[in-house]
Each structure stands twice: as structure tokens, then as C-alpha cells.
Amino acid sequence: MKNGKAWYDTDGNVIHCHGGYIIQYDGYYYWYGENRLDNNYVSCYRSKDLKTWEFRNHVLTTDSKVEQLRFNMTTDLFKTDGVGNKIKVNIERPKVLYNKRINQFVMWAHYENGRDYLEAKCAIATCDTPDGDFVFRGAFNPYGYMSRDCTLFEDEDAAYFISASRDNADLHIYRLTEDYLNVDEHVRTLFQGEYREAPALFKKDGMYYMITSFCTGWAPNQGKFSKACAIGGQWTSLKNFGDETTYRSQPAFVLPVSKNGETKYYYFGDRWGGKGKKYFESTYVVLEIKFDENNDPYIIYEDEVPDFI
Ligand code: DGJ
């Protein structure tokens, strides 16, 4: 498997799982990501070795069931034009966590109306299996704030939703409620005026790391990282991660993989667009994250996708 080349599922179809996220559940890795073909929003694939991917389901589509979670949430999964045609909304950067308290898989994503990026909402969908038909629960502005590029991060004692706010100028960290169905506290505003997008968080040896891109639409730019001893504490100033285009990719997420008592951390990025592809389609770039003598993370480009397992 090569970085930046099309990857195929076990049926021989191109994998559409852009801006995605991977979780481990019941012996499998489940990969969720954007799929804008037909009436799809989010597709799900699963694998045991992170290389052989079986398509499971289009877990969120224009036809998904809708059950409003709370008063005043936007529940449109499509708009209708003047002559009755369905216009898709935008669902971007879907991330999923399993919540054991409610025994539900909870998806958070970025939601826009399909015309522009001005709603800047986060959306929630839930399902009782990892790859079943998710129910759309609606979209909202957390504490009234704009919320665009986003991610989830599950810590030992709580989970967090991180999203770009104030027209992408700042990045907010929200702690989630115990059921992961709402924000419980706006914990921190990071990188004031730095316009960071595409956040990806991970934790290694008690240290929190966040990788982000700059805000240049779908064009790649210099990745940066920051680290902190506590998620709501002081984060370091931004430092470069990867080269000036992050090897022509934008962060999607970081996956820790443990093998024989050792954990390795893998950067998953999207290389958006490219020859013959729509700007919102990507190929994937996966690189092992290494750490220098200051425990600062770095990546070195390789053509071949690493052997995970
Ligand atoms: C950059 C984001 O990272 C993408 O997910 C997408 O929202 C584009 N911007 C839209 O221009």
C-alpha cells in the first residue's frame, strides 16, 4: 500500500473515508470518513490489520433516520431546491467514540448547509452498533460559538471535542458530558488568531499532543504541533510538523497502535484533490510519528504505508 495512491477495499472499490477517524472495538479497527458520492455522507470500513479494509456501511446518508436530540438543533440532512430536488448539506470530518455508559457509538462532525460555510455547527449522530445505520440527532453551535474543523479525543476520565471557532481564528476545547451527547464545559481556547484547522490529538506518556494545519481551504500547508501536560493547561507555542506542505497532506487523526507492549503513533493525513479527483476527495498519507530528544513529534516521508501490526 502506497501513500498518496488510491486504496481499495476487499470488494475492489476505492476507499472513500476522507477527513476520518479510526476506533478499535471488539477486535476490529473501524474507520469512519467522508464519502460524498451519491447520497452518502459518512462511510465505515473495518480491518484487523489496518491494511485490509472491508466496506461495512454508508452509516450516514441523506436518508438517515432523524431524531432531534435537544430543542433548537438543526435536523436537516438535505435542503430542497425550488423544483423539489434534494440538495445535500455538508458533513465533514466525522469522528466516532463508543460510549459505554449509554452503550452507543456517538459521532461528532462538522455541519454546514451545503451552500456556504456560515452555519459552522457541530453535528451528532448515534448508533447502537459500530457500523449500523446512524441516527442523525441534529447540529448546533456549542455555547453559541462557530464550530468548523473538528476532532474528538478520549482521555482516561473524560472525552473532548475540539473545533475551530471565530471564523477559524481560534481553536476551542470542550469537555463532553458523560454520555458524549453534549458539551459540558468550554475548557480552553487555543492558538488565538493562528487560524489552525484539521486538529488531531493524541496522548503519549502523560503528554498531550495536538497536530493542526493552517487554514488554506483544501490546499496543503505547513503542519504544526503543540503539546501540554494537561488538556486544559498551558499548551506550547506552535512548532513545525512535517515539511512546508506536511508532505502534501492535512491531518485527519493520529492512531496509537500497541504491539508487544510497545505503542506506536501513526499520523493519518488527507492528500485532497489531485489528478482526476474532486477537491474534496483525498488519498491517504500514513506515517509513523517519531519523537526527538525533547519528546517533540516529527515525521519523515515514506512512500510505503508502515506495517502496523
Ligand atoms: C479545510 C478543512 O480542513 C476541510 O475539512 C474543509 O472544510 C475545507 N477547509 C473547506 O474549504
Side-chain angles (χ1 to χ4, degrees), residues 101-211:
R101 290 183 188 84
I102 60 169
N103 193 23
Q104 292 273 301
F105 292 82
V106 182
M107 179 189 299
W108 286 66
H110 171 195
Y111 176 96
E112 300 286 358
N113 59 23
R115 275 192 321 273
D116 54 41
Y117 276 75
L118 298 177
E119 286 205 30
K121 287 183 166 61
C122 53
I124 294 182
T126 53
C127 190
D128 49 18
T129 60
D131 48 9
D133 296 335
F134 276 64
V135 176
F136 188 60
R137 311 300 303 272
F140 66 108
N141 296 99
Y143 298 119
Y145 288 116
M146 295 174 91
S147 179
R148 290 202 182 120
D149 272 21
C150 62
T151 195
L152 289 172
F153 172 72
E154 193 169 49
D155 211 350
E156 280 104 47
D157 52 351
Y160 296 84
F161 176 68
I162 294 96
S163 70
S165 196
R166 199 164 64 91
D167 271 318
N168 302 333
D170 316 325
L171 202 66
H172 287 190
I173 300 181
Y174 304 94
R175 194 184 56 246
L176 298 183
T177 51
E178 282 189 342
D179 56 11
Y180 299 175
L181 296 175
N182 204 350
V183 290
D184 191 40
E185 189 182 357
H186 175 194
V187 178
R188 195 81 168 80
T189 300
L190 292 180
F191 316 139
Q192 195 289 137
E194 298 273 11
Y195 290 85
R196 303 311 296 173
E197 283 196 322
L201 259 88
F202 64 101
K203 188 181 183 182
K204 177 184 179 285
D205 302 330
M207 182 72 86
Y208 297 83
Y209 294 86
M210 189 181 323
I211 297 163

Side-chain angles (χ1 to χ4, degrees), residues 188 190-192 194 196 208-212 223-229 233-241 296-297:
R188 195 81 168 80
L190 292 180
F191 316 139
Q192 195 289 137
E194 298 273 11
R196 303 311 296 173
Y208 297 83
Y209 294 86
M210 189 181 323
I211 297 163
T212 54
K224 301 227 181 223
F225 76 90
S226 170
K227 55 185 192 176
C229 298
Q234 180 151 33
W235 287 74
T236 59
S237 302
L238 293 160
K239 281 197 202 162
N240 288 351
F241 180 80
D296 285 352

